[in-house]
Amino acid sequence: QAPKSTEAKVALAIRRVTQRVATEEEVAKGVELIGALAEQEDVNEAQALEYFCLVALNLNEFLYLD
């Protein structure tokens, strides 16, 4: 079941991408980004969440093995 609050959605996205629990600061910044995208770029919350997920996938927290 998908979380309902934006905070929970951000925390889940970060957890799935990084395989660790998101910090409060990361969640707050994610919620802030989603709000800014929705307000400034005139997108709905679902689209803003999609953009946040793209940002999360581009975090520099991946481990590469040779």
Side-chain angles (χ1 to χ4, degrees), residues 5 10 14-17 24 40 42 45 48 54 56 63 65:
S5 73
V10 168
I14 291 172
R15 183 177 185 94
R16 287 187 175 170
V17 168
E24 289 181 18
Q40 297 171 8
D42 195 31
E45 186 179 340
L54 289 173
L63 176 66
L65 302 175

mmCIF file with all atom_site columns, all heavy atoms in Angstrom, residues 5 10 14-17 24 40 42 45 48 54 56 63 65:
data_model
loop_
_atom_site.group_PDB
_atom_site.id
_atom_site.type_symbol
_atom_site.label_atom_id
_atom_site.label_alt_id
_atom_site.label_comp_id
_atom_site.label_asym_id
_atom_site.label_entity_id
_atom_site.label_seq_id
_atom_site.pdbx_PDB_ins_code
_atom_site.Cartn_x
_atom_site.Cartn_y
_atom_site.Cartn_z
_atom_site.occupancy
_atom_site.B_iso_or_equiv
_atom_site.pdbx_formal_charge
_atom_site.auth_seq_id
_atom_site.auth_comp_id
_atom_site.auth_asym_id
_atom_site.auth_atom_id
_atom_site.pdbx_PDB_model_num
ATOM 1   N N   . SER A 1 5  ? 1.086  10.488 2.842   1.00 0.00 ? 5  SER A N   1
ATOM 2   C CA  . SER A 1 5  ? 1.695  11.798 3.052   1.00 0.00 ? 5  SER A CA  1
ATOM 3   C C   . SER A 1 5  ? 2.909  11.969 2.142   1.00 0.00 ? 5  SER A C   1
ATOM 4   O O   . SER A 1 5  ? 3.583  10.999 1.770   1.00 0.00 ? 5  SER A O   1
ATOM 5   C CB  . SER A 1 5  ? 2.109  11.974 4.511   1.00 0.00 ? 5  SER A CB  1
ATOM 6   O OG  . SER A 1 5  ? 3.249  11.190 4.794   1.00 0.00 ? 5  SER A OG  1
ATOM 7   N N   . VAL A 1 10 ? 8.434  10.544 0.154   1.00 0.00 ? 10 VAL A N   1
ATOM 8   C CA  . VAL A 1 10 ? 9.845  10.917 -0.007  1.00 0.00 ? 10 VAL A CA  1
ATOM 9   C C   . VAL A 1 10 ? 10.733 9.923  0.731   1.00 0.00 ? 10 VAL A C   1
ATOM 10  O O   . VAL A 1 10 ? 11.734 9.447  0.184   1.00 0.00 ? 10 VAL A O   1
ATOM 11  C CB  . VAL A 1 10 ? 10.081 12.362 0.492   1.00 0.00 ? 10 VAL A CB  1
ATOM 12  C CG1 . VAL A 1 10 ? 11.567 12.664 0.618   1.00 0.00 ? 10 VAL A CG1 1
ATOM 13  C CG2 . VAL A 1 10 ? 9.412  13.359 -0.431  1.00 0.00 ? 10 VAL A CG2 1
ATOM 14  N N   . ILE A 1 14 ? 13.578 7.489  -1.046  1.00 0.00 ? 14 ILE A N   1
ATOM 15  C CA  . ILE A 1 14 ? 14.988 7.495  -0.646  1.00 0.00 ? 14 ILE A CA  1
ATOM 16  C C   . ILE A 1 14 ? 15.404 6.117  -0.166  1.00 0.00 ? 14 ILE A C   1
ATOM 17  O O   . ILE A 1 14 ? 16.492 5.630  -0.490  1.00 0.00 ? 14 ILE A O   1
ATOM 18  C CB  . ILE A 1 14 ? 15.246 8.574  0.418   1.00 0.00 ? 14 ILE A CB  1
ATOM 19  C CG1 . ILE A 1 14 ? 15.098 9.965  -0.205  1.00 0.00 ? 14 ILE A CG1 1
ATOM 20  C CG2 . ILE A 1 14 ? 16.630 8.409  1.046   1.00 0.00 ? 14 ILE A CG2 1
ATOM 21  C CD1 . ILE A 1 14 ? 15.140 11.105 0.776   1.00 0.00 ? 14 ILE A CD1 1
ATOM 22  N N   . ARG A 1 15 ? 14.548 5.454  0.587   1.00 0.00 ? 15 ARG A N   1
ATOM 23  C CA  . ARG A 1 15 ? 14.871 4.111  1.081   1.00 0.00 ? 15 ARG A CA  1
ATOM 24  C C   . ARG A 1 15 ? 15.058 3.125  -0.070  1.00 0.00 ? 15 ARG A C   1
ATOM 25  O O   . ARG A 1 15 ? 15.977 2.312  -0.068  1.00 0.00 ? 15 ARG A O   1
ATOM 26  C CB  . ARG A 1 15 ? 13.799 3.608  2.042   1.00 0.00 ? 15 ARG A CB  1
ATOM 27  C CG  . ARG A 1 15 ? 14.124 2.253  2.622   1.00 0.00 ? 15 ARG A CG  1
ATOM 28  C CD  . ARG A 1 15 ? 13.067 1.807  3.625   1.00 0.00 ? 15 ARG A CD  1
ATOM 29  N NE  . ARG A 1 15 ? 13.463 0.572  4.229   1.00 0.00 ? 15 ARG A NE  1
ATOM 30  C CZ  . ARG A 1 15 ? 14.117 0.472  5.375   1.00 0.00 ? 15 ARG A CZ  1
ATOM 31  N NH1 . ARG A 1 15 ? 14.444 1.558  6.035   1.00 0.00 ? 15 ARG A NH1 1
ATOM 32  N NH2 . ARG A 1 15 ? 14.442 -0.701 5.868   1.00 0.00 ? 15 ARG A NH2 1
ATOM 33  N N   . ARG A 1 16 ? 14.191 3.202  -1.061  1.00 0.00 ? 16 ARG A N   1
ATOM 34  C CA  . ARG A 1 16 ? 14.292 2.279  -2.194  1.00 0.00 ? 16 ARG A CA  1
ATOM 35  C C   . ARG A 1 16 ? 15.535 2.549  -3.036  1.00 0.00 ? 16 ARG A C   1
ATOM 36  O O   . ARG A 1 16 ? 16.145 1.627  -3.567  1.00 0.00 ? 16 ARG A O   1
ATOM 37  C CB  . ARG A 1 16 ? 13.041 2.361  -3.050  1.00 0.00 ? 16 ARG A CB  1
ATOM 38  C CG  . ARG A 1 16 ? 11.857 1.702  -2.382  1.00 0.00 ? 16 ARG A CG  1
ATOM 39  C CD  . ARG A 1 16 ? 10.679 1.626  -3.284  1.00 0.00 ? 16 ARG A CD  1
ATOM 40  N NE  . ARG A 1 16 ? 9.609  0.871  -2.643  1.00 0.00 ? 16 ARG A NE  1
ATOM 41  C CZ  . ARG A 1 16 ? 8.389  0.801  -3.104  1.00 0.00 ? 16 ARG A CZ  1
ATOM 42  N NH1 . ARG A 1 16 ? 8.060  1.436  -4.210  1.00 0.00 ? 16 ARG A NH1 1
ATOM 43  N NH2 . ARG A 1 16 ? 7.475  0.093  -2.469  1.00 0.00 ? 16 ARG A NH2 1
ATOM 44  N N   . VAL A 1 17 ? 15.902 3.806  -3.174  1.00 0.00 ? 17 VAL A N   1
ATOM 45  C CA  . VAL A 1 17 ? 17.055 4.153  -4.006  1.00 0.00 ? 17 VAL A CA  1
ATOM 46  C C   . VAL A 1 17 ? 18.364 3.871  -3.287  1.00 0.00 ? 17 VAL A C   1
ATOM 47  O O   . VAL A 1 17 ? 19.298 3.328  -3.881  1.00 0.00 ? 17 VAL A O   1
ATOM 48  C CB  . VAL A 1 17 ? 16.981 5.635  -4.435  1.00 0.00 ? 17 VAL A CB  1
ATOM 49  C CG1 . VAL A 1 17 ? 18.287 6.097  -5.051  1.00 0.00 ? 17 VAL A CG1 1
ATOM 50  C CG2 . VAL A 1 17 ? 15.834 5.845  -5.403  1.00 0.00 ? 17 VAL A CG2 1
ATOM 51  N N   . GLU A 1 24 ? 15.960 12.893 8.532   1.00 0.00 ? 24 GLU A N   1
ATOM 52  C CA  . GLU A 1 24 ? 14.904 13.910 8.597   1.00 0.00 ? 24 GLU A CA  1
ATOM 53  C C   . GLU A 1 24 ? 15.219 15.058 7.649   1.00 0.00 ? 24 GLU A C   1
ATOM 54  O O   . GLU A 1 24 ? 14.315 15.615 7.013   1.00 0.00 ? 24 GLU A O   1
ATOM 55  C CB  . GLU A 1 24 ? 14.755 14.425 10.029  1.00 0.00 ? 24 GLU A CB  1
ATOM 56  C CG  . GLU A 1 24 ? 14.133 13.421 10.973  1.00 0.00 ? 24 GLU A CG  1
ATOM 57  C CD  . GLU A 1 24 ? 13.968 13.962 12.384  1.00 0.00 ? 24 GLU A CD  1
ATOM 58  O OE1 . GLU A 1 24 ? 14.011 15.191 12.576  1.00 0.00 ? 24 GLU A OE1 1
ATOM 59  O OE2 . GLU A 1 24 ? 13.776 13.147 13.294  1.00 0.00 ? 24 GLU A OE2 1
ATOM 60  N N   . GLN A 1 40 ? 6.235  26.506 -8.506  1.00 0.00 ? 40 GLN A N   1
ATOM 61  C CA  . GLN A 1 40 ? 6.960  27.321 -9.480  1.00 0.00 ? 40 GLN A CA  1
ATOM 62  C C   . GLN A 1 40 ? 6.880  26.796 -10.909 1.00 0.00 ? 40 GLN A C   1
ATOM 63  O O   . GLN A 1 40 ? 6.920  27.565 -11.858 1.00 0.00 ? 40 GLN A O   1
ATOM 64  C CB  . GLN A 1 40 ? 8.425  27.462 -9.064  1.00 0.00 ? 40 GLN A CB  1
ATOM 65  C CG  . GLN A 1 40 ? 8.594  28.183 -7.750  1.00 0.00 ? 40 GLN A CG  1
ATOM 66  C CD  . GLN A 1 40 ? 10.022 28.118 -7.235  1.00 0.00 ? 40 GLN A CD  1
ATOM 67  O OE1 . GLN A 1 40 ? 10.924 27.656 -7.915  1.00 0.00 ? 40 GLN A OE1 1
ATOM 68  N NE2 . GLN A 1 40 ? 10.226 28.581 -6.012  1.00 0.00 ? 40 GLN A NE2 1
ATOM 69  N N   . ASP A 1 42 ? 4.414  24.791 -12.044 1.00 0.00 ? 42 ASP A N   1
ATOM 70  C CA  . ASP A 1 42 ? 3.017  24.534 -12.388 1.00 0.00 ? 42 ASP A CA  1
ATOM 71  C C   . ASP A 1 42 ? 2.771  23.073 -12.778 1.00 0.00 ? 42 ASP A C   1
ATOM 72  O O   . ASP A 1 42 ? 2.192  22.775 -13.819 1.00 0.00 ? 42 ASP A O   1
ATOM 73  C CB  . ASP A 1 42 ? 2.565  25.468 -13.502 1.00 0.00 ? 42 ASP A CB  1
ATOM 74  C CG  . ASP A 1 42 ? 1.050  25.501 -13.635 1.00 0.00 ? 42 ASP A CG  1
ATOM 75  O OD1 . ASP A 1 42 ? 0.368  25.334 -12.612 1.00 0.00 ? 42 ASP A OD1 1
ATOM 76  O OD2 . ASP A 1 42 ? 0.561  25.678 -14.764 1.00 0.00 ? 42 ASP A OD2 1
ATOM 77  N N   . GLU A 1 45 ? 1.204  17.415 -7.882  1.00 0.00 ? 45 GLU A N   1
ATOM 78  C CA  . GLU A 1 45 ? 2.061  16.752 -6.900  1.00 0.00 ? 45 GLU A CA  1
ATOM 79  C C   . GLU A 1 45 ? 2.628  15.437 -7.430  1.00 0.00 ? 45 GLU A C   1
ATOM 80  O O   . GLU A 1 45 ? 3.778  15.101 -7.160  1.00 0.00 ? 45 GLU A O   1
ATOM 81  C CB  . GLU A 1 45 ? 1.300  16.498 -5.596  1.00 0.00 ? 45 GLU A CB  1
ATOM 82  C CG  . GLU A 1 45 ? 2.206  15.943 -4.522  1.00 0.00 ? 45 GLU A CG  1
ATOM 83  C CD  . GLU A 1 45 ? 1.514  15.700 -3.197  1.00 0.00 ? 45 GLU A CD  1
ATOM 84  O OE1 . GLU A 1 45 ? 0.454  16.290 -2.958  1.00 0.00 ? 45 GLU A OE1 1
ATOM 85  O OE2 . GLU A 1 45 ? 2.064  14.916 -2.408  1.00 0.00 ? 45 GLU A OE2 1
ATOM 86  N N   . ALA A 1 48 ? 5.525  16.285 -9.663  1.00 0.00 ? 48 ALA A N   1
ATOM 87  C CA  . ALA A 1 48 ? 6.631  16.770 -8.836  1.00 0.00 ? 48 ALA A CA  1
ATOM 88  C C   . ALA A 1 48 ? 7.311  15.600 -8.125  1.00 0.00 ? 48 ALA A C   1
ATOM 89  O O   . ALA A 1 48 ? 8.541  15.573 -8.008  1.00 0.00 ? 48 ALA A O   1
ATOM 90  C CB  . ALA A 1 48 ? 6.131  17.804 -7.834  1.00 0.00 ? 48 ALA A CB  1
ATOM 91  N N   . LEU A 1 54 ? 13.497 11.110 -9.870  1.00 0.00 ? 54 LEU A N   1
ATOM 92  C CA  . LEU A 1 54 ? 14.625 11.203 -10.804 1.00 0.00 ? 54 LEU A CA  1
ATOM 93  C C   . LEU A 1 54 ? 15.846 11.805 -10.122 1.00 0.00 ? 54 LEU A C   1
ATOM 94  O O   . LEU A 1 54 ? 16.971 11.352 -10.340 1.00 0.00 ? 54 LEU A O   1
ATOM 95  C CB  . LEU A 1 54 ? 14.232 12.030 -12.028 1.00 0.00 ? 54 LEU A CB  1
ATOM 96  C CG  . LEU A 1 54 ? 13.251 11.370 -12.986 1.00 0.00 ? 54 LEU A CG  1
ATOM 97  C CD1 . LEU A 1 54 ? 12.808 12.363 -14.054 1.00 0.00 ? 54 LEU A CD1 1
ATOM 98  C CD2 . LEU A 1 54 ? 13.851 10.133 -13.616 1.00 0.00 ? 54 LEU A CD2 1
ATOM 99  N N   . ALA A 1 56 ? 16.464 11.603 -6.920  1.00 0.00 ? 56 ALA A N   1
ATOM 100 C CA  . ALA A 1 56 ? 16.941 10.582 -5.990  1.00 0.00 ? 56 ALA A CA  1
ATOM 101 C C   . ALA A 1 56 ? 17.775 9.528  -6.713  1.00 0.00 ? 56 ALA A C   1
ATOM 102 O O   . ALA A 1 56 ? 18.800 9.075  -6.197  1.00 0.00 ? 56 ALA A O   1
ATOM 103 C CB  . ALA A 1 56 ? 15.761 9.930  -5.267  1.00 0.00 ? 56 ALA A CB  1
ATOM 104 N N   . LEU A 1 63 ? 27.369 2.191  -5.120  1.00 0.00 ? 63 LEU A N   1
ATOM 105 C CA  . LEU A 1 63 ? 28.651 1.516  -4.999  1.00 0.00 ? 63 LEU A CA  1
ATOM 106 C C   . LEU A 1 63 ? 28.875 0.712  -6.290  1.00 0.00 ? 63 LEU A C   1
ATOM 107 O O   . LEU A 1 63 ? 28.031 -0.095 -6.681  1.00 0.00 ? 63 LEU A O   1
ATOM 108 C CB  . LEU A 1 63 ? 28.625 0.561  -3.801  1.00 0.00 ? 63 LEU A CB  1
ATOM 109 C CG  . LEU A 1 63 ? 29.839 -0.302 -3.575  1.00 0.00 ? 63 LEU A CG  1
ATOM 110 C CD1 . LEU A 1 63 ? 31.031 0.594  -3.204  1.00 0.00 ? 63 LEU A CD1 1
ATOM 111 C CD2 . LEU A 1 63 ? 29.581 -1.286 -2.459  1.00 0.00 ? 63 LEU A CD2 1
ATOM 112 N N   . LEU A 1 65 ? 31.172 -1.913 -8.393  1.00 0.00 ? 65 LEU A N   1
ATOM 113 C CA  . LEU A 1 65 ? 32.152 -2.973 -8.232  1.00 0.00 ? 65 LEU A CA  1
ATOM 114 C C   . LEU A 1 65 ? 32.786 -3.286 -9.577  1.00 0.00 ? 65 LEU A C   1
ATOM 115 O O   . LEU A 1 65 ? 32.116 -3.393 -10.586 1.00 0.00 ? 65 LEU A O   1
ATOM 116 C CB  . LEU A 1 65 ? 31.496 -4.235 -7.673  1.00 0.00 ? 65 LEU A CB  1
ATOM 117 C CG  . LEU A 1 65 ? 30.791 -4.081 -6.320  1.00 0.00 ? 65 LEU A CG  1
ATOM 118 C CD1 . LEU A 1 65 ? 30.085 -5.377 -5.961  1.00 0.00 ? 65 LEU A CD1 1
ATOM 119 C CD2 . LEU A 1 65 ? 31.783 -3.690 -5.247  1.00 0.00 ? 65 LEU A CD2 1
#
